[in-house]
Amino acid sequence: MALPRFRKQLLSVKSRKLDDLFEAYALAARTLEKLHLEDQPELLAEYETTCLQIQAEVLRLLGEGERCT
């Protein structure tokens, strides 16, 4: 996950929602990397947006603290 400032907090929080988001992010990031290598610019923006949306949702859940379980 591309949120290095929140690494300690991410490691300390146990949440099924966050685990699901981490998995979704990993899949989207892998696809984004593949699209870069295959030079498919038409899909790059879509996956970049998806990654940013997942990061924003993770930050929102971190801001909710205990309620993100």
Side-chain angles (χ1 to χ4, degrees):
M1 178 85 33
L3 299 169
R5 291 186 337 181
F6 301 94
R7 186 168 288 135
K8 287 182 183 178
Q9 190 177 2
L10 288 168
L11 291 172
S12 69
V13 174
K14 301 298 179 216
S15 164
R16 180 66 186 160
K17 289 180 186 178
L18 285 176
D19 290 345
D20 290 345
L21 287 171
F22 295 156
E23 186 175 341
Y25 185 87
L27 292 171
R30 237 179 278 143
T31 301
L32 183 62
E33 188 175 317
K34 183 180 173 184
L35 292 171
H36 274 291
L37 293 173
E38 294 176 357
D39 193 28
Q40 295 188 35
E42 65 279 358
L43 294 174
L44 283 174
E46 179 181 340
Y47 277 88
E48 287 171 347
T49 299
T50 298
C51 288
L52 291 174
Q53 288 171 335
I54 293 170
Q55 289 177 27
E57 180 64 8
V58 167
L59 291 175
R60 186 187 70 74
L61 290 172
L62 286 177
E64 290 182 0
E66 294 296 318
R67 294 176 285 168
C68 69
T69 57

